[in-house]
Amino acid sequence: MKDSNARALRARAERVLPGGVDSPVRAYRAVPGVPPHIVAGEGSHVVDADGNEFIDYVLAYGPHILGHQPPRVVAAIRAQLDRGIAYGHTVELEVDLAERIVDAVESVEMVRFVTSGTEAAMSAMRLARAATRRDRIVKFAGGYHGHADAFLAESGSGIATLGIPGSPGVPAAAVAGTVVLPYNDLEAVVDLFEREGDQIAAVIVEPVAGNMGCVPPEAGFLDGLRDCTSKWGALLVFDEVMTGFRVAYGGAQTLYEVRPDLSLFGKVIGGGLPVGAYGGRRDLMEQIAPSGPVYQAGTLSGSPPAMAAGIAALDVLRENPALYDRLERLGKRLETGFKTVSAEAGTACAVGRVGSMVTPFIGIDEAHSFDEVKLADRERFGRIHAAWLDDGVLWPPSQFETAFLSTTHSDEDVDRTVESFARSLASVSV
Ligand code: KE4
């Protein structure tokens, strides 16, 4: 694969951007190969400066559910830019998008827009602590809620332990109140609540885990979290930054019929422009400044072009519910393809999938928790990833990242991806 321009960009970038990137996963440190120098996208494909074309399963890590350059989204952004970029005053677009989210997600009565999922998560946790007057928060190993200090806790030894800093610069005090439990382990949650439920402000969970690769919730897990938090007066926070408006128009909470107290959104609701949001029960959200004492602010929160993009994206999805059937059909085709060719190759391959979120875990049969997926063969995944690149398939450069399909992906895209996967399995030694 020609990559001289990609190498040249990386060399320049590494001189002025840490690791040559503005977000670590883009550095391709977990896989061989050089990050392509993408220059344009259209539908399910992107092209790079070296003239390579790729079927894109990264899709900017989730926003592009309608593929690259969806006409109504691009037109909405352009129209807003012709009028203005930012005013520091509430514009109707913010209300329009908030009303769409409130209408789509039954548990959400009010919304606050911010500019990233990280901001949404940190704000929602501040609100949960203020509303419950408790400090402890519970997250799950392998769950990612952005890079605010309180969430950069790693599982300590044992099952239910107080968090230990997962990064230099995170003070122990910042994660002392963060308990990290195994995902899909309801027994561990119940046990923790029975021991210290009256100290827990909230449980935050990705209702479909996407940041350890795609790991669906086990039956009863989300319902169990709801029961536990309700019983002990803690809040249930669904991090739907990735799943919101992707796995269903009303998000994973609609799919699994579990009603959280607060929800986070991002990605799809910004149509590819920077946005995050948190929302939920009115009695909670009205505690956010200036209607209440819990402070949170943001210069470009509710950015008009981002609002316009999100409104257009949600309108296309709402007006065409069959798009979700298409995403399910394509996701099933890809999952079936991975399972069929790995079985034929005699290679273990657990496939995690919900709708258009999919991950093949190489070398393992079970993928229900972070401990299990950590057993996947990362080195072999890296070689498969490199072969995909050579075959014109752009897959997220980590075994622990979910891949995404868009409504513009085709059966041919999927079949080419599976055929490349099959060739890799055949050529990659065990
Ligand atoms: P941002 O701060 O990156 O906008 O959102 C953080 C976040 C919160 N919650 C969930 C469920 C998320 O998936 C994310 C961000 N997702 C990653 C993908 N693994 C973004 C990619 C990146 O970090 O570059």
Side-chain angles (χ1 to χ4, degrees):
M1 186 180 89
K2 299 187 299 299
D3 65 6
S4 57
N5 285 295
R7 291 180 182 280
L9 178 70
R10 184 172 65 171
R12 275 183 60 206
E14 285 177 340
R15 284 196 290 274
V16 288
L17 301 174
V21 295
D22 284 316
S23 199
V25 69
R26 304 177 194 172
Y28 280 46
R29 292 292 171 89
V31 296
V34 178
H37 172 189
I38 308 294
V39 294
E42 185 69 37
S44 61
H45 288 214
V46 291
V47 293
D48 73 4
D50 291 295
N52 302 303
E53 182 167 341
F54 301 96
I55 304 166
D56 185 11
Y57 290 94
V58 177
L59 295 174
Y61 290 97
H64 298 317
I65 191 169
L66 299 175
H68 289 279
Q69 303 302 91
R72 273 176 66 177
V73 174
V74 173
I77 296 170
R78 286 202 173 112
Q80 180 54 41
L81 291 180
D82 288 343
R83 287 193 292 272
I85 298 173
Y87 312 110
H89 286 68
T90 297
V91 298
E92 188 173 16
L93 292 167
E94 295 167 72
V95 180
D96 290 343
L97 185 55
E99 286 172 345
R100 281 164 172 77
I101 295 172
V102 167
D103 290 347
V105 187
E106 194 182 322
S107 70
V108 176
E109 297 174 304
M110 293 192 94
V111 173
R112 170 60 65 86
F113 292 111
V114 292
T115 46
S116 71
T118 294
E119 266 192 280
M122 61 190 275
S123 307
M125 279 303 113
R126 184 178 305 136
L127 173 56
R129 287 175 158 150
T132 60
R133 293 186 175 78
R134 300 172 182 179
D135 289 339
R136 287 266 165 99
I137 60 171
V138 178
K139 73 174 288 284
F140 294 92
Y144 179 67
H145 311 289
H147 61 86
D149 281 353
F151 298 113
L152 292 187
E154 290 199 334
S155 327
S157 59
I159 288 287
T161 58
L162 294 188
I164 54 176
S167 163
V170 174
V175 293
T178 305
V179 181
V180 185
L181 297 179
Y183 189 75
N184 273 326
D185 186 340
L186 187 55
E187 193 178 322
V189 178
V190 172
D191 175 59
L192 175 75
F193 269 91
E194 282 171 1
R195 287 188 284 114
E196 48 193 74
D198 58 354
Q199 299 174 54
I200 297 172
V203 171
I204 185 167
V205 65
E206 293 180 57
V208 175
N211 287 284
M212 53 175 134
C214 183
V215 176
E218 297 284 282
F221 179 59
L222 299 176
D223 295 290
L225 295 182
R226 180 66 284 175
D227 294 345
C228 237
T229 47
S230 298
K231 176 179 174 185
W232 291 92
L235 300 186
L236 179 59
V237 182
F238 270 16
D239 182 343
E240 297 230 39
V241 167
M242 198 181 273
T243 55
F245 297 91
R246 172 168 283 279
V247 298
Y249 188 69
Q253 56 194 276
T254 300
L255 206 58
Y256 295 100
E257 298 178 342
V258 174
R259 187 186 176 103
D261 300 295
L262 292 172
S263 298
L264 315 182
F265 301 97
K267 298 181 193 277
V268 170
I269 69 163
L273 293 184
V275 74
Y278 62 105
R281 286 171 26 201
R282 180 177 300 280
D283 67 301
L284 295 173
M285 292 303 291
E286 284 184 338
Q287 298 183 41
I288 293 292
S291 51
V294 182
Y295 196 70
Q296 180 267 310
T299 302
L300 294 174
S301 295
S303 151
M307 298 293 101
I311 289 164
L314 266 54
D315 285 355
V316 171
L317 290 166
R318 189 183 61 259
E319 292 163 14
N320 303 279
L323 291 176
Y324 287 102
D325 301 328
R326 179 177 178 78
L327 290 169
E328 173 56 31
R329 187 180 64 76
L330 288 166
K332 185 68 179 168
R333 189 179 184 101
L334 190 56
E335 173 188 6
T336 305
F338 285 154
K339 285 181 173 174
T340 303
V341 302
S342 55
E344 287 165 356
T347 298
C349 179
V351 180
R353 181 181 75 84
V354 175
S356 58
M357 293 170 59
V358 60
T359 303
F361 294 100
I362 309 304
I364 59 173
D365 290 310
E366 301 295 332
H368 307 288
S369 70
F370 194 37
D371 280 349
E372 286 183 351
V373 302
K374 279 192 288 191
L375 300 174
D377 186 337
R378 292 171 230 184
E379 194 273 330
R380 197 166 181 198
F381 172 86
R383 284 183 282 159
I384 291 168
H385 185 274
W388 262 334
L389 268 186
D390 286 340
D391 286 349
V393 175
L394 192 64
W395 198 266
S398 164
Q399 173 67 94
F400 304 128
E401 289 288 350
T402 293
F404 301 97
L405 287 145
S406 79
T407 56
T408 59
H409 279 70
S410 65
D411 287 1
E412 187 204 0
D413 288 334
V414 168
D415 296 348
R416 266 186 57 198
T417 304
V418 172
E419 285 155 17
S420 172
F421 184 72
R423 284 195 298 276
S424 302
L425 291 184
S427 65
V428 169
S429 57
V430 175

